[in-house]
Structures are given as structure tokens and as C-alpha cells.
Amino acid sequence: PLRYISKLRELVKHEGDKNKSQWKTMGPAKVAVPSPNDFLQKRSKESKLAPKKKEEDGKKLLPLSVPPRTYHPVTRIKKNFISKNALAVMTGEPKKPQHFCVDTRQGDKYLLEPSGLFPKYINKKNYGVLPKYVIQRNEEIKREEEEYQASVLEQLKKKAMKLLSEEERTNILKALKKNWEEINRAYQSLPIVTDTRYKQMHKEELELKLKQLEHDIAAIEKHKCVYIANI
């Protein structure tokens, strides 16, 4: 098959030749030297003010918000402090006398209110009243205790002992005796010679069952009232 030739081959070659032609010599490309007439002049780098705007199409520019030269601000306001103080004294509330105590011969005194000797808090309306958050907390604690006591009683009722009736007692006793007869029959039918380990284990298991059944039958026959726990 013919070798693949890209359609853009000539374009790529042209681009490569064009980029190489700028750096044929050593160093950067030659740059035009500035003219000696364009030298740096004095104050050429200082900032210049913008030109003033002229009135265009008969429209006047808005005046600046600057006070005129003839404006004199008011720097002093005369007040009649005597009449002002007299009016404040006549309309104001009189000062309450402060309670104090003199404890030395020289007349040293101290205020009673910050000392703790003046009955300040017992005269309040809410003195001795429990705060709302304390009452609410006590109610929550009481409610939790009641719920806990109710749950404990419920658990005790569930775990309470149940008294067997006479009919149930006789039925259980008959079932135990019947079970004992069946196991005893199986025990009596065992071979006399127990020469294997399996026979020995089977014999011991039957003996244990017979002993347990005899113990249960004797306990139920001995006690007329039998209680069973609800577990």
C-alpha cells in the first residue's frame, strides 16, 4: 500500500521556515535606535492638570459646593447657663439621702448599702421566690422519678412468681411420672454387659435423667403450693 502523506505537509514546512528566518544571526534582532532629538526634557514626567471644561452648547456647569469668600461660620453660641441650671434644679427630682454609718470618734463614715448591713434584698417583691428554671427543673426530676418507679413496678410485675393451680400441679406430676416410667423402661432394657464406651455413656445418661425426675416428683408431692417465676 502507498505511504500516508498529510495534506498539511507543505503548510507545516512553510511555517517552520518562516519562524527560523528571524533568528539566523547571534543575539536579538536589530531594533531602531531612538532619534537624538527625542531627548528627556525637564519636568516632562511631572503630572499635569486636566484642561478646564468649557461650556458646551450653552449649558452652564454646576457650581462647586465650596462656600464663598464672604461666608463667616458661627464659632461661638451664647448660652445662659444660670437660667438653664435653675430650670434643671426646679424640674429635676430631689436627691435621695444616702445611708451611712460613723464608727470612729474622728467621724469616719462608710456607706451602708454596699457594705451588706443595709436590708436591700429583703424589700424586693420576688424575695424568697424560687426562680422559674428551678421550679421547671424540679418538675422534670419528679417526672423522671415517677417514670422510673413505674418502669420498676412493671418489671417486678413481669418477674413476679405465679402460683400453680391444683389442676396444673396434678397434670405436671402425671407427666413427670409418665416420663419416669418411659425412661425406666428404657433403662431396664439395657444389656447387662456394658463393654463399649457408648453403652456406658447411654447408661449414665439414663441414670441422671431418672435421678432428676425422682427429685422433681418428690419436690412437687411434698409441697402443695408451687410458684413459678415468669422469666
Side-chain angles (χ1 to χ4, degrees):
L2 296 176
R3 187 168 60 87
Y4 172 75
I5 299 175
S6 175
K7 295 180 181 181
L8 305 176
R9 183 177 181 184
E10 299 296 331
L11 180 62
V12 172
K13 290 175 70 177
H14 176 68
E15 290 290 336
D17 295 339
K18 185 176 68 173
N19 294 333
K20 289 180 180 178
S21 62
Q22 295 181 358
W23 296 90
K24 283 186 177 180
T25 58
M26 296 294 291
K30 293 183 178 180
V31 184
V33 180
S35 176
N37 296 327
D38 299 334
F39 57 90
L40 185 64
Q41 298 180 1
K42 186 179 181 181
R43 302 181 184 275
S44 61
K45 291 188 177 182
E46 292 182 358
S47 58
K48 296 181 180 180
L49 297 174
K52 294 183 179 180
K53 294 183 179 179
K54 297 182 179 179
E55 297 181 3
E56 298 177 357
D57 301 334
K59 294 181 180 179
K60 292 185 178 180
L61 298 175
L62 295 175
L64 299 176
S65 59
V66 180
R69 291 172 179 259
T70 58
Y71 174 74
H72 297 285
V74 180
T75 56
R76 177 178 288 182
I77 299 174
K78 292 183 179 180
K79 291 184 180 180
N80 192 353
F81 292 99
I82 297 174
S83 60
K84 184 179 178 182
N85 294 339
L87 184 63
V89 170
M90 287 186 289
T91 56
E93 295 182 359
K95 291 184 178 180
K96 295 181 181 180
Q98 293 182 341
H99 300 275
F100 59 88
C101 177
V102 179
D103 59 348
T104 59
R105 188 181 296 177
Q106 286 78 14
D108 297 333
K109 60 183 180 180
Y110 59 90
L111 296 176
L112 285 176
E113 186 173 353
S115 66
L117 301 175
F118 188 74
K120 178 179 178 182
Y121 296 99
I122 60 174
N123 296 327
K124 290 186 175 182
K125 294 181 180 180
N126 58 352
Y127 177 75
V129 180
L130 284 175
K132 292 183 179 179
Y133 72 92
V134 177
I135 297 172
Q136 185 178 1
R137 185 178 179 185
N138 292 338
E139 291 177 354
E140 291 178 357
I141 293 172
K142 187 176 179 182
R143 193 184 309 111
E144 290 177 358
E145 288 180 354
E146 291 176 355
E147 292 177 356
Y148 175 73
Q149 293 294 336
S151 63
V152 170
L153 290 174
E154 188 176 357
Q155 293 293 332
L156 290 175
K157 287 180 181 179
K158 289 181 179 179
K159 296 180 180 180
M161 306 292 285
K162 180 184 176 183
L163 176 63
L164 284 179
S165 62
E166 187 64 26
E167 185 179 357
E168 291 176 346
R169 178 175 168 277
T170 54
N171 292 334
I172 292 172
L173 194 58
K174 288 179 181 179
L176 289 173
K177 288 182 178 180
K178 185 179 180 181
N179 195 8
W180 182 87
E181 290 176 358
E182 292 177 357
I183 296 174
N184 188 31
R185 191 180 301 111
Y187 181 76
Q188 294 296 333
S189 61
L190 289 174
I192 299 173
V193 180
T194 54
D195 52 353
T196 61
R197 181 60 182 166
Y198 172 75
K199 292 179 180 180
Q200 294 176 1
M201 291 175 63
H202 186 52
K203 183 180 179 182
E204 291 175 359
E205 184 180 357
L206 292 176
E207 289 176 352
L208 288 174
K209 288 182 178 179
L210 288 171
K211 285 181 181 180
Q212 184 65 36
L213 287 169
E214 290 172 359
H215 178 268
D216 295 341
I217 291 168
I220 293 175
E221 287 179 346
K222 183 179 179 180
H223 302 91
K224 299 295 181 181
C225 298
V226 179
Y227 291 90
I228 298 176
N230 294 328
I231 299 174

